[in-house]
Amino acid sequence: MIREVLRMGDPRLLQQSIPLERFGTPQLAELLADMRDTMAALNGAGLAAPQIGVPLRVVIFGFEHNERYPDAESVPFTILCNPVLTPLGEAMEDGWEGCLSVPGMRGLVPRHARLRYRGLDQDGRPLEREVSGFHARVVQHECDHLDGILYPMRIRDLRQFGFSEVLFPGEDLADD
Ligand code: NI
């Protein structure tokens, strides 16, 4: 079921979410199905449970080709519960981000260039990856939602924040 995505200004987006404790349950399957439906309907690259008002440490992300990020490499569809991120090295990279909770906007955000992430899938099986580039960026963006952080809070120079259609005229970014 497609759920309403909370928008910036809603205090629920600023909460610390709590760890998931029970795996392989019908409730979790329903939550994940709703998140997947909602992300697909809005052409998102990822979605965190608190964005649909569920304060649990659950994110999904991934895409083959995303119209909102036409130049980004594909990222495998991933379900990640109770994630732990560990930066690898000091390098940071700036990149443009949007968010389904901040519709119509883009901002230039610094992120760790490389990181390891660990977490559990929907059945509680461990998952661990070392990633870089857009994959690393998406994970950091989605996991920030679990700590009540929205990407505009990470923008270093607010002159690099604005409406997508003004920043990138002619690109079809209307549905974020
Ligand atoms: Ni977001």
Side-chain angles (χ1 to χ4, degrees):
M1 189 176 78
I2 297 170
R3 303 271 292 263
E4 184 191 352
V5 176
L6 306 182
R7 288 178 300 158
M8 185 167 66
D10 191 307
R12 288 172 288 179
L13 288 171
L14 304 177
Q15 288 178 335
Q16 188 80 13
S17 291
I18 61 172
L20 187 71
E21 292 186 347
R22 299 182 64 224
F23 294 83
T25 64
Q27 291 84 354
L28 180 58
E30 188 180 345
L31 170 64
L32 290 167
D34 285 358
M35 288 173 67
R36 199 166 181 159
D37 290 347
T38 304
M39 183 175 106
L42 298 173
N43 259 326
L47 191 71
Q51 289 182 277
I52 59 168
V54 177
L56 291 171
R57 301 186 79 79
V58 176
V59 302
I60 65 171
F61 54 85
F63 53 88
E64 285 290 321
H65 175 79
N66 192 298
E67 290 162 24
R68 297 175 61 222
Y69 300 96
D71 300 324
E73 72 263 34
S74 67
V75 174
F77 181 78
T78 303
I79 292 166
L80 191 60
C81 306
N82 302 344
V84 177
L85 275 51
T86 308
L88 299 173
E90 301 290 308
M92 305 290 287
E93 270 174 10
D94 283 329
W96 290 95
E97 296 186 15
C99 179
L100 298 177
S101 294
V102 192
M105 310 288 290
R106 286 287 185 284
L108 195 65
V109 183
R111 299 285 187 186
H112 296 287
R114 292 185 63 228
L115 62 89
R116 174 187 302 116
Y117 65 88
R118 295 190 174 95
L120 302 167
D121 73 6
Q122 67 272 26
D123 296 312
R125 289 180 297 237
L127 174 69
E128 177 177 338
R129 287 187 183 136
E130 289 185 12
V131 296
S132 60
F134 196 69
H135 192 154
R137 176 168 299 278
V138 168
V139 174
Q140 290 170 85
H141 176 115
E142 296 311 326
C143 292
D144 262 357
H145 279 295
L146 306 180
D147 295 322
I149 298 168
L150 300 169
Y151 81 81
M153 302 174 187
R154 299 257 190 217
I155 298 173
R156 268 196 291 237
D157 178 357
L158 280 167
R159 289 173 295 191
Q160 309 272 28
F161 181 45
F163 292 96
S164 311
E165 60 190 32
V166 179
L167 284 164
F168 304 106
E171 292 185 29
D172 181 19
L173 300 166
D175 58 355
D176 67 330

